[in-house]
Amino acid sequence: MCVLLTDMYLKDIQTGVCAVEGEPVVEKESAATALVDGNNLLGPVVGNFCMNLAIRKAKEVGIGWVVAHGSNHFGIAGYYSMQALKENMIGMSFTNTSPLVVPTRGKERTLGTNPLSVAAPAEHGDSFVLDTATSAVALGKVELNERRGDPIPDGWGCDPEGHVTTDPKSVLTGGGLVPIGGSEATGGYKGYGLGMMVEVFCGILAGAQYSKYVRTWKVTDRVANLGQCFVAINPENFAPGFNERMSDLLSIQRDQDPAEPGSPVLAPGDPERLNMKKCEEIGGIPYHINVVKYINDYVKKIGISQLLPCDNVVSV
C-alpha cells in the first residue's frame, strides 16, 4: 500500500512541507521513557529512531516507551513492532492520522484510521503479529469501489448524516469511514474506543496534533505534526517460559478443525507470512500492472529514468 503513497511522500518533500535534513531529537527521557521531536522528518526516519530507542531502554530496564511529535506518515505500523522480535521482545507501535473516521453516533470525521500493531515472539522464529487500523476498512477500498461503480458492504462507511450506507460516493463526499465493528448495534463503539486509545498514546501524550486538528488527508498545505508511540517489552523481566506459552497459544488456534474445510484457522501474522513466502518463490513483490504504470508515470515527471519493469508478468 505504501507504494501507492509515493506521490504523497514526494509532494511533501518537493513542497518543503516535510524536512529532508536533520535528525530526531530526544526532548525528555527517563530510564524507560522518552519524548522525541521528529523535527518534521519523514515518518520512517522518526519511527526507526524511536523504535531503536525503545528497544535499547527495554534491554536496560525491561521496557521502553517512546512517543514522538513532529512526525509524518510512517508507512506500515507492523514494520516497527516487528523490529522488537529480532531481540526476542514484544513490540508495539501506534500512530494517529488525518481525520477520516466518524465516531459512533456522530456525523463529523474527528478520528483517523489510527492503526496499531503488536508483535510477540514465540519459539523457532514463530510470532504473533497484529497490524490493524481501527477503522472498518482503509479509505482506498471505498475509492476503488466508487471507481468501479460498485456498492460497498454494509459497515464500511456512513453518509454525511452519520447513517451507515452502501453508497461509496456518499462516504467520499461528506460522509466518512466507520470504526471497526460498523454501526453501534454491531459493536462499532468498540472500534471507536480503540481509535481514541491510539489518539491518547499519540496525539495527546506526545503533544502532537490530534483528532480534527490533523491536516486533511493528502493535502500538503501545512505540516502534519503527527503523533506516534513505540513500545518494547522484554519478557525476561516477567514470568519465565514466555516463548513456549506463546507457541502453545498460537497452536491452540491453528490446530482446531476449521469451520470450512480447506480454510484453516490462522493466527495474526500468518497471512502476511504466506504472502512473503510467495514473494520469495517468485523473486519479488507482485503489483498490479496499473499500479506499476502509475508509479512509472509519476517518477518520469520528476526526472527519474530507471523505471519499474512492466514485462515480468506472474500469476499469483
Side-chain angles (χ1 to χ4, degrees):
M1 180 60 74
C2 285
V3 169
L4 299 177
L5 299 177
T6 300
D7 58 339
M8 184 183 76
Y9 295 143
L10 290 173
K11 187 177 179 182
D12 274 1
I13 293 172
Q14 289 172 327
T15 59
V17 78
C18 177
V20 294
E21 295 182 355
E23 295 286 338
V25 174
V26 177
E27 292 186 322
K28 182 191 299 184
E29 69 177 320
S30 69
T33 66
L35 171 65
V36 171
D37 182 352
N39 278 328
N40 194 33
L41 292 159
L42 287 169
V45 175
V46 180
N48 283 324
F49 178 92
C50 292
M51 196 67 213
N52 288 336
L53 180 57
I55 291 171
R56 287 204 306 272
K57 289 180 177 295
K59 286 180 178 179
E60 295 172 359
V61 297
I63 186 169
W65 190 294
V66 179
V67 297
H69 61 88
S71 190
N72 288 280
H73 190 284
F74 73 5
I76 303 166
Y79 173 77
Y80 306 99
S81 64
M82 290 177 68
Q83 290 182 26
L85 297 178
K86 302 171 187 176
E87 304 295 337
N88 198 43
M89 293 183 186
I90 300 168
M92 296 190 286
S93 62
F94 313 81
T95 182
N96 65 5
T97 71
S98 299
L100 295 169
V101 178
V102 176
T104 303
R105 299 188 180 184
K107 295 192 293 184
E108 183 183 353
R109 292 180 294 184
T110 52
L111 287 171
T113 56
N114 292 8
L116 60 89
S117 179
V118 180
E123 293 182 297
H124 312 303
D126 198 5
S127 60
F128 165 96
V129 181
L130 172 68
D131 185 341
T132 178
T134 53
S135 58
V137 294
L139 185 68
K141 290 189 176 182
V142 179
E143 292 173 330
L144 183 60
N145 279 48
E146 198 272 335
R147 285 197 293 271
R148 290 174 173 171
D150 295 334
I152 59 174
D154 193 49
W156 277 20
C158 65
D159 62 23
E161 295 303 313
H163 301 132
V164 174
T165 180
T166 58
D167 178 13
K169 188 173 182 179
S170 183
V171 174
L172 297 171
T173 55
L177 302 176
V178 296
I180 286 178
S183 68
E184 183 173 6
T186 55
Y189 57 90
K190 299 177 182 180
Y192 167 38
L194 286 173
M196 284 198 69
M197 179 195 74
V198 172
E199 196 66 90
V200 171
F201 290 163
C202 298
I204 306 302
L205 193 62
Q209 296 284 35
Y210 57 91
S211 187
K212 66 179 183 179
Y213 305 120
V214 180
R215 75 182 186 190
T216 302
W217 176 240
K218 286 194 174 182
V219 175
T220 55
D221 58 342
R222 57 192 172 95
V223 169
N225 189 15
L226 297 185
Q228 290 156 357
C229 177
F230 307 86
V231 183
I233 303 170
N234 189 347
E236 294 296 321
N237 288 65
F238 299 90
F242 178 88
N243 295 64
E244 292 83 353
R245 290 195 301 279
M246 271 304 309
S247 288
D248 184 48
L249 176 63
L250 294 170
S251 295
I252 290 171
Q253 320 313 317
R254 292 167 175 158
D255 294 347
Q256 63 177 282
D257 291 333
E260 296 292 335
S263 296
V265 177
L266 302 177
D270 286 350
E272 291 76 14
R273 271 185 283 270
L274 292 172
N275 284 333
M276 289 168 66
K277 184 178 179 181
K278 287 181 183 177
C279 291
E280 290 171 357
E281 290 171 352
I282 64 177
I285 302 174
Y287 286 99
H288 192 280
I289 188 64
N290 290 347
V291 174
V292 176
K293 288 179 178 177
Y294 172 79
I295 294 300
N296 282 342
D297 289 343
Y298 188 86
V299 299
K300 275 193 265 185
K301 295 177 184 176
I302 60 174
I304 296 177
S305 57
Q306 187 172 357
L307 306 180
L308 295 171
C310 297
D311 55 353
N312 186 15
V313 180
V314 295
S315 177
V316 294

